[in-house]
Amino acid sequence: MPMSARARHSGFGDVVGNAAMEQLATGFSFTEGPVWHPYEKWLVFSDIPESRMYRRIASGAIEPFRDPSHKANGNTLDRQGRLVTCEHATSRVTRAEPNGSVSVLATQHGDKQLNSPNDVVVATGGAIYFTDPSFGRMEFYGVPRPQELSFQGVYRIDGDGAGLTLLADDFVQPNGLCFSLDESRLFINDTECGHIRVFGVEANGDLNGGAVWAATEGSEPGSPDGMKIDSRGNLYCTGPGGIHVFDASGDLLGVISTPEYCANFTFGDEDLRSLYIAASTSLYRLRVRVPGLRLF
C-alpha cells in the first residue's frame, strides 16, 4: 500500500523516503514489542491480549514463540543477545537464557509488586532500564487487579540482575524509552501527557533533569508509546496518526501515517532500513532511508 506521510520539514524525505508500506501479517488482537535479532535474522513481537509472542523468521513465516507470554509487552535484546521481556500479567521483567530457562530480573520494588513493566532498553554497559505504568492492571492489556505502588516509575536493573533502582516517580504513565546515540541522555515518553522528556545519564547510571523535549500533537488516534532513534540521532515516536519523526534537536520532521493504531516499531533486516511496525491487528514493514541501530 502507498505510504501516507505528512512532512513538516524538507529533511523528512531524506530520512524516511517514500516507499510503500507492506502488511506482513494480520489477525492479531494488539501487536506490540517488536525486536530484531541482527545476527539470527528474526523478529519477535507480542500480542498482548492473547498472551502470545510470535517470531517472524528469515523466510517470512511467522511461528509461535511463547505461549503463554503472561501478556508480554515490550522486548529488547541485551548485549549478549538474550531476550529481555516486560510482562503485564506477572509484573515481571524477565530474561531468556541460552539454556532455554527464563530468569526473573525484577518483580518488586521494596515489599510491593511492580505495576506492569511496559518497555525496556539496555545500555552498553549492560544496565537495563524499564518503565512501569499501570496499563497491565487494566482489562484487555493485562489482568485487572489493585495497584500496590502509589506511583508509576522508571527503574534500572544492574547488568547482573542483582539490584533494582528507582530512577523517577513523577510520570503519569511512563512508556517508551530510548538512549541518545552516545547514551549521555535517556528519552522517556509519557502516554497520558502526550510528550517526551529527556534525562541526563550520570556515570553511575542515575538520571538527572527530565525536561519536556518534544510533544506528539494531533487530533487523530494515537499517543506516545514505542520510541527508537536511528543512526543519525533522529527520534521516532508513536503518536496521533502514526509515527512522529523528530530530528536530534527535537524539531518535528513529519509523521508516518499508519493504516491502524500504532503502538510500537523497530528497525530490522540486514541493513536496518526496514521499519517493522506493530499496529493493532497487524504487522507492517516500511523501508526507510536512514538505518537504525544494532542492539548488540
Side-chain angles (χ1 to χ4, degrees), residues 238-263:
T238 64
I243 300 171
H244 295 227
V245 183
F246 300 87
D247 68 15
S249 61
D251 293 327
L252 181 65
L253 298 178
V255 178
I256 302 169
S257 299
T258 54
E260 301 178 61
Y261 184 102
C262 176

Side-chain angles (χ1 to χ4, degrees), residues 171-244:
F171 284 83
V172 181
Q173 291 287 16
N175 202 322
L177 69 174
C178 65
F179 285 105
S180 60
L181 286 177
D182 63 1
E183 297 190 8
S184 66
R185 296 184 295 167
L186 180 65
F187 300 94
I188 309 172
N189 65 47
D190 192 317
T191 298
E192 198 73 22
C193 296
H195 62 219
I196 302 164
R197 297 170 61 184
V198 61
F199 294 82
V201 182
E202 299 178 4
N204 66 355
D206 289 346
L207 303 181
N208 60 58
V212 173
W213 182 77
T216 58
E217 299 175 341
S219 59
E220 297 170 276
S223 56
D225 195 334
M227 192 161 65
K228 306 286 188 300
I229 64 165
D230 68 16
S231 56
R232 289 186 191 167
N234 300 302
L235 186 146
Y236 289 57
C237 181
T238 64
I243 300 171
H244 295 227

